[in-house]
Amino acid sequence: MIRPAHVEALLGSDADDPTLIVLAGGISVVPASELNDEQYRGAMEIVSRHDLVTELGTDAPSPRDIEETAARLDTAVTRLGA
């Protein structure tokens, strides 16, 4: 479900405070300010760019770090049943 391209999209987003979400089986990056909009009702917030950068210690992680992060996030989402 969550792939390295999703992590890259989150890190590279121009949105204000971008957040990775799961909604209706799809993965999206949306600005945190829009999370309360009707179109995102029921979305599961996975991680914000700020939190991810803090966790990784960089805003330019290696390809391996991106792959490992995607795998970890995917496992977490799968366990939650999203």
Side-chain angles (χ1 to χ4, degrees):
M1 177 175 268
I2 297 178
R3 308 221 183 281
H6 297 120
V7 174
E8 291 170 339
L10 176 63
L11 292 170
S13 175
D14 291 333
D16 185 36
D17 194 18
T19 302
L20 190 68
I21 65 166
V22 175
L23 180 63
I27 309 295
S28 298
V29 174
V30 300
S33 62
E34 294 181 14
L35 290 173
N36 291 324
D37 290 358
E38 183 66 30
Q39 66 184 347
Y40 299 118
R41 183 176 296 231
M44 179 188 305
E45 295 178 45
I46 305 305
V47 67
S48 69
R49 178 173 56 200
H50 176 270
D51 289 345
L52 184 58
V53 168
T54 299
E55 179 181 323
L56 294 172
T58 181
D59 61 356
S62 70
R64 180 180 174 159
D65 287 339
I66 289 172
E67 287 184 27
E68 290 174 355
T69 298
R72 180 180 50 77
L73 293 173
D74 186 64
T75 298
V77 167
T78 300
R79 286 185 179 163
L80 291 172

